[in-house]
Amino acid sequence: MEKNIVDILKKNQLSITDSRKKILSLFVQSNGALAHADIEHQSGTEFDRVTIYRTLQTFVDKGIIHTIPTTDNSVRYALCKDDCSAGHHHDDHVHFMCDNCGTTYCLDHITVPAVKLPKGFKVTQTDVVVSGVCNNCNN
Amino acid sequence: MEKNIVDILKKNQLSITDSRKKILSLFVQSNGALAHADIEHQSGTEFDRVTIYRTLQTFVDKGIIHTIPTTDNSVRYALCKDDCSAGHHHDDHVHFMCDNCGTTYCLDHITVPAVKLPKGFKVTQTDVVVSGVCNNCNN
DNA sequence: AATGCAATGCAACGGCGTTGCAAAACAAAT
DNA sequence: ATTTGTTTTGCAACGCCGTTGCATTGCATT
Ligand SMILES: [Mn+2]
Ligand SMILES: [Mn+2]
Ligand SMILES: [Zn+2]
Ligand SMILES: [Zn+2]
């Protein structure tokens, strides 16, 4: 869906460049989250790594992708399927990391549970990261 | 409690060294989690930063401290108050990061909720990181 | 086609975490 | 207390990650 990719960029008032088209298409095709290294690898020497960093940051700012907290503290990104916009992310779903294949999934339909905190604590965001074996590896 | 510190080290079959005593005492005194930089700062030029890295790793291996997943993907450590031992951590409590003062807390009495996952996913660990304003800043 | 502005590539930098190795410190035995 | 073997430490070096400044290129608009 080359068309679809361009539409997403236009809708977010981003100019259409090769790197943005390529990187965004990688996210659309992928079913799991992508790290900077994944993108660098999958796009060969096509783009400078700085461009990848900047493109990822732009996409996050625009609400096109969101960062995912991980237990191995690496930075991963995935498409926002929620109604995210510039400066307002609403990706309140559970994330899953497979210990076997390393894939990180957005479980978009599993919303994070409410956590009761001690008096005096004000909650603004809750992140849930589940580790284990994914349905793809579990057969 | 100089005595207490040494006891913990002995109980874990670790030789008693200046760096281990110092670093462990920092954790015992602190009410929040510590990053490598915090320890480096609070111990001045007393120890090489490599020693701090190795000491932290040793403590994690022994089940004395545990790592804490954070949303800003920095590495933080805190004392295990649960019955953790070498190779077997059981720190299934919620962690809280204050957006205001930056402190990361172990909410030892708040256990992580069970999360229902789609069929085929096997859960081995669940991490919950809550962000917001802590009870110390909220006054 | 020309213009103004935004994005990219390149080079350099600082910070983080790791590794190898020699020196120092520790624990156990004499 | 001294010796001995083992563990820990400090130092140096390295690679990786993410950032920044700046000149060049590419994009969108007229
Ligand atoms: Mn997600
Ligand atoms: Mn904890
Ligand atoms: Zn898997
Ligand atoms: Zn606070």
Side-chain angles (χ1 to χ4, degrees):
Chain A
M1 287 286 143
E2 161 80 19
K3 183 68 165 45
N4 190 18
I5 301 293
V6 172
D7 285 347
I8 295 175
L9 292 175
K10 280 185 180 170
K11 189 169 61 187
N12 287 278
Q13 302 164 35
L14 292 173
S15 53
I16 315 300
T17 68
D18 289 347
S19 60
R20 285 174 179 167
K21 279 190 288 185
K22 176 67 177 180
I23 294 173
L24 183 50
S25 71
L26 288 178
F27 278 107
V28 171
Q29 288 163 20
S30 173
N31 62 331
L34 297 175
H36 178 277
D38 297 326
I39 296 167
E40 199 169 355
H41 186 257
Q42 290 184 42
S43 59
T45 67
E46 204 169 347
F47 311 111
D48 193 88
R49 62 195 190 92
V50 178
T51 299
I52 299 175
Y53 281 117
R54 290 196 267 228
T55 302
L56 289 171
Q57 189 55 54
T58 300
F59 286 176
V60 170
D61 291 342
K62 288 292 187 177
I64 299 173
I65 61 176
H66 61 280
T67 59
I68 299 177
T70 57
T71 51
D72 63 351
N73 77 288
S74 61
V75 187
R76 308 219 173 179
Y77 304 86
L79 274 186
C80 294
K81 286 154 195 162
D82 306 293
D83 55 341
C84 297
S85 58
H88 292 283
H89 280 269
H90 308 286
D91 309 279
D92 53 352
H93 52 266
V94 171
H95 290 104
F96 184 91
M97 300 180 66
C98 180
D99 297 326
N100 186 252
C101 66
T103 306
T104 300
Y105 300 90
C106 292
L107 303 179
D108 296 289
H109 300 300
I110 316 284
T111 50
V112 301
V115 178
K116 185 110 183 172
L117 291 197
K119 204 177 168 186
F121 285 85
K122 205 183 88 189
V123 178
T124 59
Q125 194 191 347
T126 303
D127 285 291
V128 176
V129 184
V130 180
S131 302
V133 183
C134 74
N135 60 353
N136 200 37
C137 291
N138 205 10
N139 298 323
Chain B
M1 286 286 142
E2 162 80 19
K3 182 71 163 45
N4 189 19
I5 300 293
V6 172
D7 284 347
I8 295 175
L9 292 175
K10 280 185 180 167
K11 188 169 61 188
N12 287 277
Q13 303 164 36
L14 292 173
S15 53
I16 315 300
T17 68
D18 289 346
S19 60
R20 285 174 180 168
K21 279 191 289 186
K22 177 68 176 179
I23 294 173
L24 183 51
S25 71
L26 288 178
F27 278 107
V28 171
Q29 288 163 22
S30 172
N31 62 332
L34 297 175
H36 178 276
D38 297 326
I39 295 168
E40 199 169 355
H41 187 255
Q42 290 185 40
S43 60
T45 67
E46 205 170 345
F47 312 110
D48 192 90
R49 63 194 190 92
V50 178
T51 300
I52 298 175
Y53 280 116
R54 290 196 268 228
T55 303
L56 289 171
Q57 189 55 54
T58 300
F59 286 176
V60 170
D61 291 343
K62 288 292 188 177
I64 299 173
I65 61 178
H66 61 280
T67 58
I68 299 178
T70 58
T71 50
D72 62 353
N73 75 290
S74 61
V75 187
R76 308 219 172 177
Y77 303 86
L79 275 185
C80 293
K81 286 154 194 161
D82 307 291
D83 55 340
C84 297
S85 59
H88 292 284
H89 281 269
H90 308 285
D91 309 281
D92 53 353
H93 52 267
V94 171
H95 290 103
F96 185 90
M97 299 181 67
C98 180
D99 296 326
N100 186 251
C101 66
T103 306
T104 300
Y105 301 89
C106 293
L107 303 180
D108 296 288
H109 299 302
I110 316 285
T111 49
V112 301
V115 178
K116 185 109 183 172
L117 291 199
K119 205 177 169 185
F121 285 85
K122 206 182 89 189
V123 177
T124 59
Q125 194 192 347
T126 303
D127 285 292
V128 177
V129 184
V130 180
S131 302
V133 183
C134 76
N135 60 352
N136 200 37
C137 291
N138 204 10
N139 299 322

